Amino acid sequence: MINFEMMKISNAIRVFLLLQMAIIFHSCGVEKNAIVAHRGAWKKNNLPENSIASLRHAIDLKLPGSEFDVWRRADDSLVINHDAL
């Protein structure tokens, strides 16, 4: 049985996160075709992808943004991981 109430909450969370990202990018003055860290800035210093360390390194490099994947587990906790859990 589909839990429509949870689907509404899930969609509301997605919309909220999308709007929040749009506001952040707009407020940062991101230039057209700016360089954005993919899974954080991990490659040069051999940091784990999608890790706090790689995301902080992207901030240290003053990159306008980082792309990373967030998954929600069955217990509603959020996990940063590239592949689906």
Coordinates of all heavy atoms in Angstrom, one line a residue:
M1 N 0.8 -1.2 0.0 CA 0.0 0.0 0.0 C 0.9 1.3 0.0 O 1.8 1.3 0.7 CB -0.9 0.0 1.2 CG -1.9 1.1 1.3 SD -3.0 0.8 2.7 CE -4.1 2.1 2.4
I2 N 0.6 2.2 -0.8 CA 1.4 3.4 -0.9 C 0.9 4.4 0.2 O -0.3 4.6 0.3 CB 1.1 4.1 -2.3 CG1 1.6 3.1 -3.4 CG2 1.9 5.4 -2.4 CD1 1.3 3.6 -4.8
N3 N 1.9 4.9 0.8 CA 1.6 5.9 1.9 C 1.7 7.3 1.3 O 2.8 7.9 1.1 CB 2.7 5.8 3.0 CG 2.3 6.6 4.2 OD1 1.6 7.6 4.1 ND2 2.9 6.3 5.3
F4 N 0.5 7.8 0.9 CA 0.5 9.1 0.2 C 0.9 10.3 1.1 O 1.5 11.3 0.6 CB -0.9 9.4 -0.4 CG -1.3 8.4 -1.5 CD1 -2.2 7.4 -1.3 CD2 -0.7 8.6 -2.7 CE1 -2.5 6.6 -2.4 CE2 -1.0 7.8 -3.8 CZ -1.9 6.7 -3.6
E5 N 0.7 10.1 2.4 CA 1.1 11.2 3.3 C 2.7 11.3 3.3 O 3.2 12.4 3.2 CB 0.6 10.9 4.7 CG 0.8 12.1 5.7 CD 0.0 13.3 5.3 OE1 -1.1 13.1 4.7 OE2 0.4 14.4 5.5
M6 N 3.4 10.2 3.3 CA 4.8 10.2 3.2 C 5.3 10.8 1.9 O 6.3 11.5 1.8 CB 5.4 8.8 3.5 CG 5.4 8.4 4.9 SD 6.2 9.5 6.0 CE 7.9 9.4 5.5
M7 N 4.6 10.5 0.8 CA 5.0 11.0 -0.5 C 4.8 12.5 -0.5 O 5.7 13.2 -1.1 CB 4.1 10.4 -1.6 CG 4.5 8.9 -1.9 SD 3.4 8.2 -3.2 CE 3.8 9.2 -4.6
K8 N 3.8 13.0 0.1 CA 3.6 14.5 0.2 C 4.8 15.1 0.9 O 5.3 16.1 0.5 CB 2.3 14.8 0.9 CG 1.1 14.6 0.1 CD -0.2 14.9 0.8 CE -1.4 14.5 0.1 NZ -2.6 14.8 1.0
I9 N 5.1 14.5 2.1 CA 6.3 15.0 2.9 C 7.6 14.9 2.1 O 8.3 15.9 2.0 CB 6.4 14.2 4.2 CG1 5.2 14.5 5.1 CG2 7.7 14.6 4.9 CD1 5.1 13.7 6.3
S10 N 7.7 13.8 1.4 CA 9.0 13.6 0.6 C 9.0 14.7 -0.5 O 10.1 15.3 -0.8 CB 8.9 12.2 -0.1 OG 10.0 12.1 -0.9
N11 N 7.9 14.9 -1.2 CA 7.9 16.0 -2.3 C 8.1 17.3 -1.7 O 8.8 18.2 -2.3 CB 6.6 15.9 -3.1 CG 6.5 14.7 -4.0 OD1 7.6 14.1 -4.3 ND2 5.4 14.3 -4.3
A12 N 7.6 17.6 -0.5 CA 7.8 18.9 0.1 C 9.3 19.1 0.5 O 9.8 20.2 0.3 CB 6.9 19.0 1.4
I13 N 9.9 18.1 1.0 CA 11.3 18.2 1.3 C 12.1 18.4 0.0 O 13.0 19.3 0.0 CB 11.8 16.9 2.0 CG1 11.2 16.8 3.4 CG2 13.3 16.8 2.1 CD1 11.4 15.5 4.1
R14 N 11.8 17.7 -1.0 CA 12.6 17.9 -2.3 C 12.4 19.4 -2.8 O 13.4 20.0 -3.2 CB 12.1 17.0 -3.4 CG 12.5 15.6 -3.1 CD 12.1 14.7 -4.2 NE 12.4 13.3 -3.9 CZ 11.7 12.3 -4.3 NH1 10.7 12.4 -5.1 NH2 12.1 11.0 -4.0
V15 N 11.2 19.9 -2.8 CA 10.9 21.3 -3.2 C 11.7 22.2 -2.3 O 12.3 23.2 -2.8 CB 9.4 21.6 -3.2 CG1 9.2 23.0 -3.4 CG2 8.7 20.7 -4.3
F16 N 11.6 22.0 -1.0 CA 12.3 22.9 -0.1 C 13.8 22.9 -0.4 O 14.5 24.0 -0.4 CB 12.1 22.5 1.4 CG 12.9 23.2 2.4 CD1 12.6 24.5 2.7 CD2 14.0 22.6 2.9 CE1 13.3 25.2 3.7 CE2 14.8 23.3 3.9 CZ 14.4 24.6 4.2
L17 N 14.4 21.7 -0.5 CA 15.9 21.7 -0.8 C 16.2 22.3 -2.1 O 17.2 23.0 -2.2 CB 16.3 20.2 -0.8 CG 16.3 19.5 0.6 CD1 16.7 18.1 0.5 CD2 17.3 20.2 1.5
L18 N 15.4 22.1 -3.2 CA 15.6 22.7 -4.5 C 15.6 24.3 -4.4 O 16.5 25.0 -4.9 CB 14.6 22.2 -5.5 CG 14.8 22.8 -6.9 CD1 16.1 22.3 -7.5 CD2 13.7 22.3 -7.8
L19 N 14.6 24.8 -3.7 CA 14.5 26.2 -3.5 C 15.7 26.8 -2.7 O 16.2 27.8 -3.0 CB 13.2 26.6 -2.8 CG 11.9 26.4 -3.7 CD1 10.7 26.6 -2.8 CD2 12.0 27.3 -4.8
Q20 N 16.0 26.0 -1.6 CA 17.2 26.5 -0.8 C 18.5 26.5 -1.6 O 19.2 27.5 -1.5 CB 17.3 25.5 0.4 CG 18.3 26.0 1.4 CD 18.4 25.2 2.6 OE1 17.8 24.1 2.7 NE2 19.0 25.6 3.6
M21 N 18.7 25.5 -2.5 CA 19.9 25.5 -3.4 C 19.8 26.7 -4.3 O 20.8 27.3 -4.6 CB 20.0 24.2 -4.1 CG 20.4 23.0 -3.2 SD 20.7 21.4 -4.0 CE 20.0 21.6 -5.6
A22 N 18.7 26.9 -4.9 CA 18.5 28.1 -5.8 C 18.8 29.4 -5.1 O 19.5 30.2 -5.7 CB 17.1 28.1 -6.4
I23 N 18.4 29.6 -3.9 CA 18.6 30.8 -3.2 C 20.1 30.9 -2.9 O 20.7 32.0 -3.1 CB 17.8 30.8 -1.9 CG1 16.3 31.0 -2.2 CG2 18.3 32.0 -1.0 CD1 15.4 30.8 -1.1
I24 N 20.7 29.8 -2.5 CA 22.2 29.9 -2.1 C 23.0 30.2 -3.4 O 23.9 31.1 -3.3 CB 22.6 28.5 -1.5 CG1 22.0 28.4 -0.1 CG2 24.1 28.4 -1.5 CD1 22.2 27.0 0.5
F25 N 22.7 29.5 -4.5 CA 23.4 29.8 -5.7 C 23.2 31.2 -6.2 O 24.2 31.9 -6.6 CB 23.1 28.8 -6.9 CG 23.8 27.5 -6.8 CD1 23.2 26.4 -6.5 CD2 25.2 27.5 -7.0 CE1 23.9 25.2 -6.4 CE2 25.9 26.3 -6.9 CZ 25.3 25.2 -6.6
H26 N 22.0 31.7 -6.1 CA 21.7 33.1 -6.5 C 22.5 34.1 -5.6 O 23.0 35.1 -6.1 CB 20.2 33.4 -6.5 CG 19.9 34.8 -6.9 ND1 20.0 35.2 -8.2 CD2 19.4 35.8 -6.2 CE1 19.6 36.4 -8.3 NE2 19.3 36.9 -7.1
S27 N 22.5 33.8 -4.3 CA 23.1 34.8 -3.4 C 24.6 34.8 -3.5 O 25.3 35.7 -3.1 CB 22.7 34.5 -2.0 OG 23.2 33.2 -1.5
C28 N 25.2 33.7 -4.0 CA 26.7 33.6 -4.1 C 27.2 34.3 -5.4 O 28.4 34.4 -5.6 CB 27.1 32.1 -4.2 SG 26.8 31.2 -2.7
G29 N 26.3 34.8 -6.2 CA 26.7 35.4 -7.4 C 27.5 34.5 -8.4 O 28.5 34.8 -8.9
V30 N 27.0 33.3 -8.5 CA 27.6 32.3 -9.4 C 27.6 32.8 -10.8 O 26.6 33.2 -11.4 CB 26.9 30.9 -9.3 CG1 27.5 29.9 -10.2 CG2 26.9 30.4 -7.9
E31 N 28.8 32.8 -11.4 CA 28.9 33.2 -12.8 C 28.5 32.1 -13.7 O 28.5 30.9 -13.3 CB 30.4 33.6 -13.1 CG 30.9 34.8 -12.2 CD 32.3 35.0 -12.5 OE1 32.9 34.6 -13.5 OE2 32.9 35.7 -11.7
K32 N 28.2 32.5 -14.9 CA 27.8 31.5 -15.9 C 29.0 30.6 -16.2 O 30.1 31.0 -16.3 CB 27.4 32.2 -17.2 CG 26.8 31.3 -18.3 CD 26.3 32.1 -19.4 CE 25.6 31.2 -20.4 NZ 25.1 31.9 -21.5
N33 N 28.7 29.3 -16.2 CA 29.7 28.2 -16.4 C 30.8 28.2 -15.3 O 32.0 27.9 -15.6 CB 30.4 28.4 -17.8 CG 29.4 28.2 -18.9 OD1 28.5 27.4 -18.8 ND2 29.5 28.9 -20.0
A34 N 30.4 28.5 -14.1 CA 31.4 28.5 -13.0 C 31.8 27.0 -12.7 O 31.0 26.1 -13.0 CB 30.7 29.1 -11.7
I35 N 32.9 26.8 -12.1 CA 33.4 25.5 -11.8 C 32.7 25.1 -10.4 O 32.8 25.8 -9.5 CB 34.9 25.4 -11.7 CG1 35.5 25.7 -13.0 CG2 35.4 24.1 -11.1 CD1 37.0 25.9 -13.0
V36 N 32.1 23.9 -10.5 CA 31.4 23.4 -9.3 C 32.1 22.0 -9.0 O 32.3 21.2 -9.8 CB 29.9 23.2 -9.5 CG1 29.2 22.5 -8.3 CG2 29.3 24.5 -9.8
A37 N 32.4 21.8 -7.7 CA 33.0 20.6 -7.3 C 32.1 19.4 -7.4 O 30.9 19.5 -7.0 CB 33.5 20.7 -5.9
H38 N 32.5 18.3 -8.1 CA 31.7 17.1 -8.3 C 32.0 16.2 -7.1 O 33.1 15.7 -7.1 CB 32.0 16.5 -9.6 CG 31.1 15.4 -9.9 ND1 31.6 14.1 -10.1 CD2 29.8 15.2 -10.1 CE1 30.7 13.3 -10.4 NE2 29.5 13.9 -10.3
R39 N 31.1 15.9 -6.3 CA 31.3 15.1 -5.1 C 32.3 15.7 -4.1 O 33.0 15.0 -3.5 CB 31.6 13.7 -5.4 CG 30.6 13.0 -6.2 CD 31.0 11.5 -6.6 NE 30.3 11.1 -7.8 CZ 30.8 10.3 -8.7 NH1 32.0 9.8 -8.5 NH2 30.1 10.0 -9.7
G40 N 32.4 17.0 -4.1 CA 33.4 17.7 -3.3 C 34.7 17.8 -4.1 O 34.8 17.3 -5.2
A41 N 35.7 18.5 -3.6 CA 37.0 18.6 -4.2 C 37.9 17.6 -3.6 O 38.6 17.8 -2.6 CB 37.5 20.0 -3.9
W42 N 37.8 16.4 -4.2 CA 38.5 15.2 -3.6 C 39.7 14.7 -4.3 O 40.6 14.1 -3.7 CB 37.5 14.1 -3.5 CG 36.9 13.7 -4.9 CD1 35.8 14.3 -5.4 CD2 37.4 12.8 -5.8 NE1 35.5 13.8 -6.7 CE2 36.5 12.8 -6.9 CE3 38.4 11.9 -5.8 CZ2 36.7 12.0 -8.1 CZ3 38.6 11.1 -6.9 CH2 37.8 11.2 -8.0
K43 N 39.8 15.0 -5.6 CA 40.8 14.3 -6.4 C 42.2 14.7 -6.1 O 43.1 13.8 -5.9 CB 40.5 14.6 -7.9 CG 41.1 13.6 -8.9 CD 40.5 13.8 -10.3 CE 40.7 12.6 -11.1 NZ 40.1 12.7 -12.4
K44 N 42.6 15.9 -6.1 CA 44.0 16.3 -5.9 C 44.6 15.8 -4.6 O 45.7 15.3 -4.6 CB 44.1 17.9 -6.0 CG 45.5 18.4 -5.9 CD 45.6 19.9 -6.0 CE 47.0 20.3 -5.9 NZ 47.1 21.8 -5.9
N45 N 43.9 15.9 -3.5 CA 44.4 15.5 -2.2 C 44.0 14.1 -1.8 O 44.1 13.7 -0.7 CB 44.0 16.5 -1.1 CG 44.6 17.8 -1.3 OD1 45.7 17.9 -1.9 ND2 44.0 18.9 -0.9
N46 N 43.4 13.4 -2.8 CA 43.0 12.0 -2.5 C 42.0 11.8 -1.3 O 42.2 10.9 -0.5 CB 44.2 11.0 -2.4 CG 43.9 9.6 -2.7 OD1 42.9 9.3 -3.4 ND2 44.6 8.7 -2.0
L47 N 41.1 12.7 -1.3 CA 40.1 12.7 -0.2 C 38.9 11.7 -0.6 O 38.7 11.6 -1.8 CB 39.5 14.1 0.1 CG 40.5 15.1 0.6 CD1 39.9 16.5 0.5 CD2 41.0 14.8 1.9
P48 N 38.2 11.2 0.3 CA 37.0 10.4 -0.1 C 36.0 11.2 -0.8 O 35.7 12.3 -0.4 CB 36.5 9.8 1.2 CG 37.6 10.0 2.2 CD 38.4 11.2 1.7
E49 N 35.4 10.7 -1.9 CA 34.3 11.4 -2.6 C 33.1 11.5 -1.6 O 32.9 10.7 -0.8 CB 33.9 10.7 -3.8 CG 35.0 10.5 -4.9 CD 34.6 9.7 -6.1 OE1 33.4 9.8 -6.4 OE2 35.4 9.0 -6.6
N50 N 32.3 12.6 -1.8 CA 31.1 12.8 -1.0 C 31.4 12.9 0.5 O 30.5 12.5 1.3 CB 30.1 11.7 -1.3 CG 29.4 11.9 -2.6 OD1 29.0 13.0 -3.0 ND2 29.1 10.9 -3.3
S51 N 32.6 13.2 0.9 CA 32.9 13.3 2.3 C 32.9 14.7 2.8 O 33.0 15.7 2.0 CB 34.3 12.7 2.6 OG 35.3 13.5 2.0
I52 N 32.8 14.9 4.1 CA 32.8 16.2 4.7 C 34.2 16.9 4.4 O 34.2 18.1 4.0 CB 32.7 16.1 6.3 CG1 31.3 15.6 6.6 CG2 32.9 17.5 6.9 CD1 30.1 16.4 6.2
A53 N 35.3 16.1 4.4 CA 36.6 16.6 4.0 C 36.6 17.2 2.6 O 37.2 18.3 2.4 CB 37.7 15.6 4.2
S54 N 36.0 16.5 1.7 CA 36.1 16.9 0.3 C 35.2 18.1 0.1 O 35.5 19.0 -0.7 CB 35.7 15.8 -0.7 OG 34.3 15.4 -0.5
L55 N 34.0 18.2 0.8 CA 33.2 19.4 0.7 C 33.8 20.6 1.4 O 33.7 21.7 0.8 CB 31.8 19.1 1.4 CG 31.0 18.0 0.7 CD1 29.8 17.6 1.5 CD2 30.6 18.4 -0.7
R56 N 34.5 20.4 2.5 CA 35.2 21.5 3.1 C 36.4 22.0 2.3 O 36.7 23.2 2.2 CB 35.8 21.1 4.5 CG 34.7 21.0 5.5 CD 35.2 20.8 6.9 NE 34.2 20.8 7.9 CZ 34.2 20.2 9.0 NH1 35.3 19.5 9.4 NH2 33.2 20.3 9.9
H57 N 37.0 21.1 1.6 CA 38.1 21.5 0.7 C 37.6 22.3 -0.5 O 38.2 23.3 -0.9 CB 38.9 20.3 0.2 CG 40.1 20.6 -0.6 ND1 41.1 21.4 -0.1 CD2 40.5 20.3 -1.9 CE1 42.1 21.5 -1.0 NE2 41.7 20.9 -2.1
A58 N 36.4 22.0 -1.0 CA 35.8 22.8 -2.0 C 35.5 24.2 -1.5 O 35.7 25.2 -2.2 CB 34.5 22.1 -2.5
I59 N 35.1 24.3 -0.3 CA 34.9 25.6 0.3 C 36.2 26.4 0.5 O 36.3 27.6 0.1 CB 34.2 25.5 1.7 CG1 32.8 25.0 1.6 CG2 34.2 26.8 2.5 CD1 32.1 24.5 2.8
D60 N 37.3 25.7 0.9 CA 38.6 26.3 1.0 C 39.1 26.8 -0.3 O 39.8 27.8 -0.4 CB 39.6 25.3 1.6 CG 39.3 24.9 3.0 OD1 38.6 25.7 3.7 OD2 39.8 23.9 3.5
L61 N 38.7 26.1 -1.4 CA 39.1 26.6 -2.7 C 38.2 27.7 -3.3 O 38.5 28.2 -4.4 CB 39.1 25.4 -3.7 CG 40.1 24.3 -3.5 CD1 39.8 23.1 -4.4 CD2 41.5 24.8 -3.7
K62 N 37.2 28.1 -2.5 CA 36.3 29.1 -2.8 C 35.5 28.8 -4.1 O 35.2 29.7 -4.9 CB 37.0 30.5 -2.9 CG 37.7 30.9 -1.6 CD 38.1 32.3 -1.7 CE 38.9 32.8 -0.5 NZ 38.4 32.4 0.8
L63 N 35.2 27.5 -4.3 CA 34.4 27.1 -5.4 C 32.9 27.5 -5.1 O 32.5 27.6 -3.9 CB 34.4 25.6 -5.6 CG 35.8 25.1 -6.1 CD1 35.8 23.6 -6.1 CD2 36.2 25.7 -7.4
P64 N 32.2 27.9 -6.1 CA 30.8 28.4 -5.9 C 29.8 27.4 -5.4 O 28.7 27.7 -5.0 CB 30.4 29.1 -7.2 CG 31.2 28.3 -8.2 CD 32.5 28.0 -7.5
G65 N 30.2 26.1 -5.6 CA 29.2 25.1 -5.2 C 29.8 23.7 -5.2 O 30.9 23.5 -5.8
S66 N 29.2 22.7 -4.6 CA 29.5 21.3 -4.7 C 28.3 20.5 -5.0 O 27.2 20.7 -4.4 CB 30.1 20.9 -3.3 OG 31.4 21.4 -3.1
E67 N 28.5 19.5 -5.9 CA 27.4 18.6 -6.2 C 27.7 17.3 -5.4 O 28.8 16.8 -5.4 CB 27.4 18.3 -7.7 CG 26.4 17.2 -8.1 CD 26.9 15.8 -7.9 OE1 28.1 15.5 -8.0 OE2 26.0 14.9 -7.8
F68 N 26.7 16.8 -4.7 CA 26.8 15.6 -4.0 C 25.4 14.9 -3.9 O 24.4 15.6 -4.0 CB 27.5 15.7 -2.6 CG 26.8 16.6 -1.7 CD1 26.0 16.2 -0.7 CD2 27.0 18.0 -1.8 CE1 25.3 17.0 0.2 CE2 26.4 18.9 -0.9 CZ 25.5 18.4 0.1
D69 N 25.4 13.7 -3.6 CA 24.1 12.9 -3.6 C 23.7 12.6 -2.2 O 24.5 12.2 -1.3 CB 24.3 11.6 -4.3 CG 24.8 11.8 -5.8 OD1 24.2 12.6 -6.4 OD2 25.7 11.1 -6.2
V70 N 22.4 12.9 -1.9 CA 21.9 12.6 -0.6 C 20.7 11.6 -0.8 O 19.9 11.8 -1.6 CB 21.3 13.9 0.1 CG1 20.7 13.6 1.4 CG2 22.4 15.0 0.2
W71 N 20.8 10.6 0.0 CA 19.7 9.6 0.0 C 19.0 9.5 1.3 O 19.7 9.6 2.4 CB 20.4 8.2 -0.3 CG 21.0 8.2 -1.7 CD1 22.3 8.5 -2.0 CD2 20.4 7.9 -2.9 NE1 22.5 8.4 -3.3 CE2 21.4 8.0 -3.9 CE3 19.1 7.5 -3.3 CZ2 21.1 7.8 -5.3 CZ3 18.9 7.2 -4.6 CH2 19.8 7.4 -5.6
R72 N 17.7 9.2 1.3 CA 17.0 9.0 2.5 C 16.8 7.5 2.8 O 16.3 6.8 1.9 CB 15.7 9.7 2.5 CG 15.0 9.6 3.9 CD 13.7 10.4 4.0 NE 12.8 10.1 2.9 CZ 12.0 11.0 2.4 NH1 11.9 12.2 3.0 NH2 11.2 10.7 1.4
R73 N 17.2 7.1 3.9 CA 17.0 5.7 4.3 C 15.6 5.4 4.7 O 14.8 6.3 5.0 CB 18.1 5.3 5.3 CG 19.5 5.4 4.9 CD 20.5 5.3 6.0 NE 20.0 4.5 7.1 CZ 20.8 3.6 7.7 NH1 22.0 3.4 7.3 NH2 20.3 2.9 8.8
A74 N 15.3 4.1 4.9 CA 14.0 3.7 5.4 C 13.7 4.3 6.7 O 12.5 4.5 7.0 CB 13.9 2.2 5.4
D75 N 14.7 4.5 7.6 CA 14.4 5.1 8.9 C 14.4 6.6 8.9 O 14.4 7.3 9.9 CB 15.5 4.6 9.9 CG 16.9 5.1 9.6 OD1 17.1 5.8 8.5 OD2 17.8 4.8 10.3
D76 N 14.3 7.2 7.6 CA 14.2 8.7 7.4 C 15.5 9.4 7.7 O 15.5 10.7 7.7 CB 13.1 9.3 8.2 CG 11.7 9.1 7.5 OD1 11.7 8.8 6.3 OD2 10.7 9.1 8.2
S77 N 16.6 8.8 8.0 CA 17.9 9.5 8.1 C 18.5 9.7 6.7 O 18.2 9.0 5.8 CB 18.9 8.6 9.0 OG 19.1 7.4 8.4
L78 N 19.2 10.8 6.6 CA 19.8 11.2 5.4 C 21.3 10.7 5.3 O 22.0 10.8 6.3 CB 19.8 12.7 5.2 CG 18.4 13.3 5.2 CD1 18.5 14.8 5.1 CD2 17.5 12.7 4.0
V79 N 21.7 10.2 4.2 CA 23.1 9.7 4.0 C 23.6 10.3 2.7 O 23.0 10.3 1.7 CB 23.0 8.2 3.9 CG1 24.4 7.6 3.6 CG2 22.5 7.5 5.1
I80 N 24.9 10.8 2.8 CA 25.6 11.2 1.6 C 26.3 10.1 1.0 O 27.2 9.5 1.6 CB 26.5 12.4 1.9 CG1 25.8 13.6 2.4 CG2 27.4 12.8 0.7 CD1 26.7 14.7 2.9
N81 N 25.9 9.7 -0.2 CA 26.5 8.5 -0.8 C 26.2 8.6 -2.3 O 25.2 9.0 -2.7 CB 26.0 7.2 -0.3 CG 26.7 6.0 -0.7 OD1 28.0 6.0 -0.8 ND2 26.0 4.9 -1.0
H82 N 27.2 8.2 -3.2 CA 27.0 8.4 -4.6 C 25.9 7.4 -5.1 O 25.0 7.7 -5.9 CB 28.3 8.2 -5.4 CG 28.1 8.2 -6.9 ND1 27.7 9.4 -7.5 CD2 28.3 7.3 -7.8 CE1 27.6 9.2 -8.8 NE2 28.0 7.9 -9.0
D83 N 26.0 6.1 -4.7 CA 25.1 5.1 -5.2 C 23.9 4.9 -4.3 O 24.0 5.2 -3.1 CB 25.8 3.8 -5.4 CG 27.0 3.9 -6.4 OD1 26.7 4.5 -7.5 OD2 28.0 3.4 -6.1
A84 N 22.8 4.5 -4.8 CA 21.6 4.3 -4.0 C 21.9 3.2 -3.0 O 22.7 2.3 -3.2 CB 20.4 3.9 -4.9
L85 N 21.3 3.4 -1.8 CA 21.5 2.4 -0.7 C 20.6 1.2 -0.9 O 19.6 1.3 -1.4 CB 21.3 3.1 0.6 CG 22.1 4.3 0.9 CD1 21.7 5.0 2.1 CD2 23.6 3.9 1.0

